[in-house]
Amino acid sequence: MKGPWPHQRAQGIYRSCCRRCVSSQAATKTPGPLDPDNLVSYHWDTVPPTSKQRRYAEQFFLRQRSKILYSSSTFRNVPRGNVKEVTFLGRSNVGKSSLLNKLMGENICHTSRNPGRTRTMNFFAVGGEDEQGNPGRLTVLDMPGYGHKSRAEWGEEIMKYLVGRRQYVVSDKLREKSVLADIDRLARAFVLIDSKHGLKQTDEALLQALRENAISHQIVLSKVDRILFPKNRQPSRQLLERNAAILQERAGSIGSHLDTLDVSGPKALGEILACSTTASLERGKFLGINNLRWSILAATGLHKVRRQARTHETGPLESLAPGTPSEDLRS
């Protein structure tokens, strides 16, 4: 790619976008509060979600309890799904199951300090029952970790799933049920990278495989509290901004490195999200979780809503079904 990496070229744009609460208060003696969600999001090809969009995404994931659908150790035993799916991948002990627990708002995934705790493909229904009677409007998949204490057969089954369920963009004329019945469900794969240790060879191998097989994917940095909150306590505003700049530089270096890989196929989505399951600047709102929720809805088309009338006693209600975007979610 000629010129600087898009992340670097757009640096001034998303700094003002993601840290507008800082720049707008620069001339005052008392700075305004930091925006906890946008503090750790880095966009160069996409636009950060608004506060209303983040609230909508939070309500989507929390208004109905998520529940486990099934587990499977092999792809051939995975039943056909009728709703869009997203999957989470990462090295063993990257914090994947803990992040999914925060994402779905309850301790539904087994967690452990020992790597390799997740040993099957675990499917979860999110968003409540839809109009067709499916147990969830969205399916979230927790995959076994790769790397330390992983198994070769897990990797084989994971790739079978990724290739077998990937989503193709085809015209209506080519959409034959016999061909696409099992391969148009996976909307995006989210690859977790340890924010402190960065990319490892196993991460690069997975990202190359995703590109070569044209599987939509996105990078998420996990455990960012170890950079933002190095002493397990909330730092001063000045130190927090300095640590956020370090995290931003690290995200940029990851994107720059991936840009140099000689691999054909579509690259990762032009944004890197960062999350923490322990750090919070607002009570009950963990860093980056609502941004991740919105990204999942955008990947599956569930970020679009339509107005639907309720009874006169309760007033209007925004449906969670796809449709025309509501005006109040754009601002």
Side-chain angles (χ1 to χ4, degrees), residues 195-220:
S195 60
K196 188 172 184 179
H197 300 296
L199 284 171
K200 299 294 185 181
Q201 288 185 346
T202 49
D203 298 321
E204 288 190 25
L206 172 63
L207 291 168
Q208 289 181 12
L210 292 173
R211 287 181 61 174
E212 289 171 352
N213 289 281
I215 298 169
S216 174
H217 60 286
Q218 179 174 357
I219 293 175
V220 179

Side-chain angles (χ1 to χ4, degrees), residues 15-292:
R15 266 188 178 171
S16 62
C17 187
C18 296
R19 300 185 186 178
R20 55 185 177 274
C21 52
V22 179
S23 59
S24 64
Q25 300 290 338
T28 64
K29 293 183 180 180
T30 306
L34 288 171
D35 186 333
D37 283 302
N38 280 334
L39 182 68
V40 290
S41 65
Y42 310 104
H43 304 251
W44 59 96
D45 285 339
T46 62
V47 178
T50 65
S51 59
K52 289 184 179 181
Q53 289 170 335
R54 294 196 300 266
R55 285 198 301 270
Y56 170 73
E58 182 180 37
Q59 293 171 1
F60 180 95
F61 276 83
L62 301 183
R63 66 183 298 176
Q64 298 281 350
R65 293 193 64 179
S66 301
K67 57 184 179 181
I68 187 166
L69 292 175
Y70 42 81
S71 298
S72 178
S73 57
T74 60
F75 173 62
R76 65 181 180 182
N77 292 328
V78 174
R80 296 181 180 181
N82 295 318
V83 298
K84 292 297 183 183
E85 301 171 357
V86 295
T87 184
F88 283 78
L89 305 158
R91 293 198 310 271
S92 299
N93 214 24
V94 75
K96 179 164 44 63
S97 296
S98 297
L99 185 143
L100 289 175
N101 283 338
K102 298 303 181 185
L103 183 76
M104 294 183 282
E106 54 186 304
N107 295 327
I108 195 170
C109 299
H110 297 294
T111 60
S112 174
R113 291 175 178 250
N114 299 320
R117 181 66 178 82
T118 303
R119 301 180 179 182
T120 57
M121 295 182 281
N122 301 313
F123 294 74
F124 301 92
V126 177
E129 185 174 317
D130 66 7
E131 292 81 357
Q132 285 74 43
N134 296 304
R137 298 175 182 271
L138 165 70
T139 299
V140 174
L141 172 57
D142 182 14
M143 284 286 197
Y146 52 85
H148 181 54
K149 289 199 174 181
S150 183
R151 298 178 183 177
E153 58 266 27
W154 293 351
E156 294 174 2
E157 294 302 325
I158 288 173
M159 286 310 303
K160 288 179 183 178
Y161 166 83
L162 293 173
V163 174
R165 300 279 263 226
R166 60 187 169 182
Q167 176 174 295
Y168 288 97
V169 179
V170 297
S171 65
D172 291 337
K173 293 181 180 180
L174 297 178
R175 186 174 290 278
E176 298 179 7
K177 293 183 180 180
S178 60
V179 177
L180 296 175
D182 294 325
I183 60 176
D184 63 347
R185 296 306 176 193
L186 178 61
R188 185 173 299 168
F190 291 86
V191 182
L192 269 61
I193 305 295
D194 191 304
S195 60
K196 188 172 184 179
H197 300 296
L199 284 171
K200 299 294 185 181
Q201 288 185 346
T202 49
D203 298 321
E204 288 190 25
L206 172 63
L207 291 168
Q208 289 181 12
L210 292 173
R211 287 181 61 174
E212 289 171 352
N213 289 281
I215 298 169
S216 174
H217 60 286
Q218 179 174 357
I219 293 175
V220 179
L221 300 181
S222 66
K223 301 182 179 181
V224 297
D225 48 279
R226 294 189 294 181
I227 296 177
L228 297 176
F229 296 67
K231 295 183 179 180
N232 295 324
R233 61 183 179 183
Q234 184 170 327
S236 65
R237 182 191 182 100
Q238 183 179 9
L239 182 58
L240 184 60
E241 291 178 355
R242 188 185 310 163
N243 293 341
I246 294 173
L247 184 61
Q248 175 177 324
E249 183 179 355
R250 188 156 301 182
S253 65
I254 290 175
S256 296
H257 178 69
L258 293 178
D259 215 31
T260 63
L261 297 179
D262 186 18
V263 183
S264 60
K267 299 178 181 179
L269 185 69
E271 67 182 43
I272 292 181
L273 302 181
C275 299
S276 171
T277 60
T278 59
S280 174
L281 295 180
E282 288 184 62
R283 183 168 181 168
K285 294 183 180 294
F286 295 92
L287 289 176
I289 296 298
N290 280 337
N291 275 4
L292 179 57

